[in-house]
């Protein structure tokens, strides 16, 4: 009978090696989103398997909305289906506090945890302890076609306003030749259309809740912002915009069909990739548009890798997520896909790399978007929550998804914005009452 060394015995006792086959191989089930960088990770992870023959990787790659539903169900029930999950700055601190995630400590010396960008690391931590490692991070920025702007004698400001964006969209909209003035997310989802809509609301001076947790959807700021969004996208956007999320708009932009696109800065490496884009050398970059304020006009998001507490392969899972978020992995991406394809927004050293800065035209605007976003003070008026394009409370996933469906319906022409916002206000208020934020019998805005 094969003797187990004491360390191995201890790991078995902790449940870290349960599920391994007789040969000691660990099969890690990874739930991730179908964004380009994650698809790239899945391909490059073959290198990891070659280096670690005792580890097998089982991938479940889903669209953003479906992934969130599956992961939330599994993590809240302790289902143990996944060993590694792709989550963000919304889930990491809340799930960490619930002890649903493994706290991350004891990093390998090569990992250099202090190289992680402070603003990003903070979003994934509780009292300084990390609960997820950033795979890539993003702000929202404005992409525009430099050739189309030049042909019309237009000049994109470094810091555009939404009013200017609408004016450009009107001049550049040319559906007869397959070019639409602007592309924006319209697909329903708290992380899909509500990401861009919330930043527009922020820019117009709005907020999700006031200081007493009273919903603010039926306010002049929300009405102005959402009516502006629906009119802009309905008038100067592509057909059927309510079906388009990040990936659909990326496809449209790379096909040369969008004169402008306001979305995640992570798309920079794809719109400038000659193997994917028809207009790789005709793209300009500017800050996300502002309106009455620039506070909260650019979102801050991190797609990160975490290990559920329910995993039976914690040691092997922790080792893999260190590799997938390491400097070594970044160099592997650069080797196979070019230096500008390195995962953006996570490491200080990336933005100290002269070669990266020289070959990555979107690097500076990405770094500025991430560094200037302030989740602790995301709006013009004070709020009781943290988060720029979301509120970091458990109820927001359901609230944001519900409001996203309502606004997507208005974009598709099924309802009026003013009616949607009035209805959503009541629905959100009922949700907050049931969750114990206040007494529903109190009049809105009453002292509490």
């Amino acid at each position: 009978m094969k003797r187990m060394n004491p360390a191995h015995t201890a790991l078995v006792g902790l449940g870290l090696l349960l599920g391994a086959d007789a040969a000691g191989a660990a099969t890690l089930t990874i739930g991730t989103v179908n964004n380009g960088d994650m698809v790239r990770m899945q391909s490059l992870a073959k290198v990891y398997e070659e280096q670690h023959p005792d580890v097998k990787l089982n991938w479940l790659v889903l669209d953003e909305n479906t992934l969130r539903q599956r992961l939330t169900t599994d993590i809240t029930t302790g289902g143990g289906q996944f060993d590694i999950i792709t989550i963000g700055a919304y889930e990491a601190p809340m799930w960490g506090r619930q002890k649903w995630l493994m706290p991350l400590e004891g990093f390998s010396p090569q990992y250099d945890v202090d190289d992680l960008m402070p603003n990003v690391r903070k979003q994934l931590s509780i009292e300084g302890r990390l609960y997820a490692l950033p795979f890539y991070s993003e702000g929202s920025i404005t992409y525009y076609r430099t050739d189309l702007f030049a042909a019309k004698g237009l000049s994109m400001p470094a810091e555009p306003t939404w009013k200017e964006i609408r004016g450009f969209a009107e001049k550049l909209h040319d559906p007869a030749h397959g070019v639409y003035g602007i592309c924006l997310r319209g697909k329903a989802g708290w992380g899909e259309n509500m990401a861009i809509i919330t930043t527009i609301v922020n820019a117009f001076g709005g907020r999700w809740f006031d200081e007493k947790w009273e919903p603010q959807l039926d306010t002049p700021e929300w009405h102005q912002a959402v009516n502006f969004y629906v009119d802009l996208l309905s008038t100067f956007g592509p057909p059927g915009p309510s079906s388009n999320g990040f990936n659909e708009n990326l496809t449209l932009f790379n096909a040369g069909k969008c004169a402008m696109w306001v979305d995640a800065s992570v798309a920079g490496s794809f719109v400038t990739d000659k193997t994917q884009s028809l207009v790789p050398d005709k793209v300009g970059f500017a800050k996300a548009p502002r309106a009455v304020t620039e506070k909260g006009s650019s979102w801050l998001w991190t797609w990160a890798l975490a290990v559920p507490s329910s995993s039976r392969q914690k040691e092997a899972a922790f080792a893999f997520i260190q590799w997938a978020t390491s400097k070594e992995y970044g160099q592997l991406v650069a080797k196979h896909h070019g230096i500008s394809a390195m995962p953006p927004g996570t490491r200080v050293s990336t933005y100290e790399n002269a070669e990266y800065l020289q070959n990555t035209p979107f690097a500076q605007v990405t770094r500025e978007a991430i560094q200037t976003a302030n989740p602790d003070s995301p709006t013009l008026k004070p709020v009781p929550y943290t988060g720029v394009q979301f509120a970091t409370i458990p109820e927001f996933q359901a609230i944001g998804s519900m409001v996203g469906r309502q606004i997507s319906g208005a974009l598709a022409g099924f309802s009026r914005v003013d009616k949607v916002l009035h209805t959503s206000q009541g629905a959100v208020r009922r949700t907050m009452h049931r969750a114990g934020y206040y007494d529903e019998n109190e009049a809105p805005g009453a002292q509490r």
Side-chain angles (χ1 to χ4, degrees):
M1 182 176 179
K2 184 177 179 180
R3 292 175 59 87
M4 298 175 67
N5 64 44
H8 190 273
T9 303
L11 290 173
V12 171
L14 290 170
L16 301 186
L17 296 180
L18 294 178
D21 59 28
T27 298
L28 301 178
T29 298
I30 304 171
T32 194
V33 67
N34 64 344
N35 290 351
D37 284 270
M38 281 70 173
V39 174
R40 187 177 285 157
M41 173 177 63
Q42 182 181 5
S43 174
L44 294 177
K46 296 173 184 176
V47 173
Y48 186 84
E49 290 182 293
E50 292 170 359
Q51 296 172 347
H52 301 80
D54 58 334
V55 174
K56 299 183 185 302
L57 303 177
N58 177 37
W59 297 84
L60 184 63
V61 183
L62 300 167
D63 70 90
E64 187 171 321
N65 289 339
T66 305
L67 176 74
R68 286 186 166 126
Q69 293 170 0
R70 290 283 296 273
L71 296 187
T72 300
T73 299
D74 189 69
I75 201 83
T76 55
T77 61
Q81 180 182 354
F82 300 98
D83 300 293
I84 296 169
I85 55 177
T86 304
I87 59 174
Y90 170 70
E91 298 95 347
M94 292 194 300
W95 292 3
R97 287 191 183 93
Q98 293 291 335
K99 303 187 186 305
W100 293 337
L101 302 176
M102 169 185 164
L104 305 178
E105 50 198 359
F107 292 88
S108 67
Q110 296 79 15
Y111 187 74
D112 192 5
V113 68
D114 292 330
D115 185 47
L116 298 177
M117 292 181 73
N119 204 18
V120 172
R121 181 174 177 175
K122 182 180 179 181
Q123 308 313 308
L124 304 175
S125 302
I126 303 172
E127 297 179 351
R129 174 182 280 186
L130 279 161
Y131 282 83
L133 298 181
F135 182 67
Y136 72 74
S137 299
E138 62 188 31
S140 52
I141 64 175
T142 302
Y143 301 92
Y144 64 97
R145 287 278 299 280
T146 55
D147 57 329
L148 298 180
F149 269 70
K152 293 285 187 178
L154 304 174
S155 178
M156 173 69 77
E159 301 182 10
T161 65
W162 277 109
K163 182 178 179 180
E164 289 171 326
I165 291 294
R166 192 187 192 284
F168 294 145
E170 183 176 7
K171 291 180 173 66
L172 297 169
H173 190 57
D174 188 8
H177 293 92
V179 175
Y180 307 104
I182 192 163
C183 293
L184 297 172
R185 299 188 191 191
K187 179 188 288 185
W190 72 264
E192 280 281 10
N193 65 339
M194 291 315 299
I196 185 66
I197 290 168
T198 300
T199 60
I200 297 174
V201 169
N202 293 343
F204 277 75
R207 52 187 174 168
W208 272 93
F209 303 97
D210 69 11
E211 302 95 312
K212 300 180 178 67
W213 292 104
E214 183 65 39
Q216 298 295 293
L217 282 80
D218 202 4
T219 58
E221 294 89 349
W222 269 82
H223 283 269
Q224 185 180 8
V226 179
N227 273 300
F228 174 88
Y229 159 83
V230 169
D231 175 69
L232 174 67
L233 196 49
S234 299
T235 308
F236 304 118
S242 61
S243 299
N244 295 339
F246 171 79
N247 284 323
E248 291 81 8
N249 282 315
L250 174 60
T251 299
L252 286 169
F253 193 94
N254 279 347
K257 297 184 179 298
C258 305
M260 295 180 294
W261 179 34
V262 182
D263 212 299
S265 57
V266 72
S269 66
F270 298 103
V271 300
T272 56
D273 185 346
K274 294 179 181 179
T275 68
Q276 300 186 45
S277 175
L278 297 179
V279 291
D281 56 348
K282 299 179 176 65
V283 185
F285 309 90
K287 292 182 68 172
R290 54 189 170 84
V292 301
T293 181
E294 64 178 354
K295 288 193 71 172
S297 60
S298 172
W299 71 61
L300 176 62
W301 182 253
T302 299
W303 277 119
L305 302 178
V307 180
S309 298
S310 55
S311 168
R312 297 184 175 186
Q313 306 282 356
K314 292 185 180 67
E315 184 183 39
F318 183 38
F320 177 80
I321 68 172
Q322 286 185 80
W323 174 83
T325 60
S326 66
K327 296 178 183 179
E328 174 191 356
Y329 177 80
Q331 292 302 316
L332 186 65
V333 173
K335 176 182 176 182
H336 288 270
H337 299 280
I339 193 167
S340 65
M342 289 173 60
T346 60
R347 290 189 169 272
V348 174
S349 57
T350 301
Y351 295 88
E352 295 175 343
N353 184 330
E355 183 183 1
Y356 179 80
L357 296 177
Q358 183 178 353
N359 290 278
T360 308
F362 51 87
Q364 294 289 7
V365 69
T366 296
R367 175 166 60 177
E368 185 175 356
I370 292 171
Q371 289 180 336
T372 58
N374 186 358
D376 295 324
S377 180
T379 54
L380 186 61
K381 297 177 182 178
V383 292
Y385 57 86
T386 60
V388 179
Q389 76 280 21
F390 57 85
T392 310
I393 56 174
E395 295 76 21
F396 186 79
Q397 184 165 337
I399 288 171
S401 296
M402 182 274 294
V403 177
R405 288 192 298 272
Q406 294 291 322
I407 295 178
S408 186
L411 180 62
F414 298 138
S415 186
R416 293 183 298 105
V417 168
D418 293 347
K419 180 180 179 181
V420 159
L421 293 180
H422 181 73
T423 302
S424 296
Q425 170 78 8
V428 173
R429 194 169 198 277
R430 287 190 293 274
T431 297
M432 299 300 283
H433 163 65
R434 287 194 296 268
Y437 285 80
Y438 49 69
D439 184 349
E440 193 178 37
N441 294 321
E442 294 180 9
Q447 294 297 316
R448 301 183 180 94

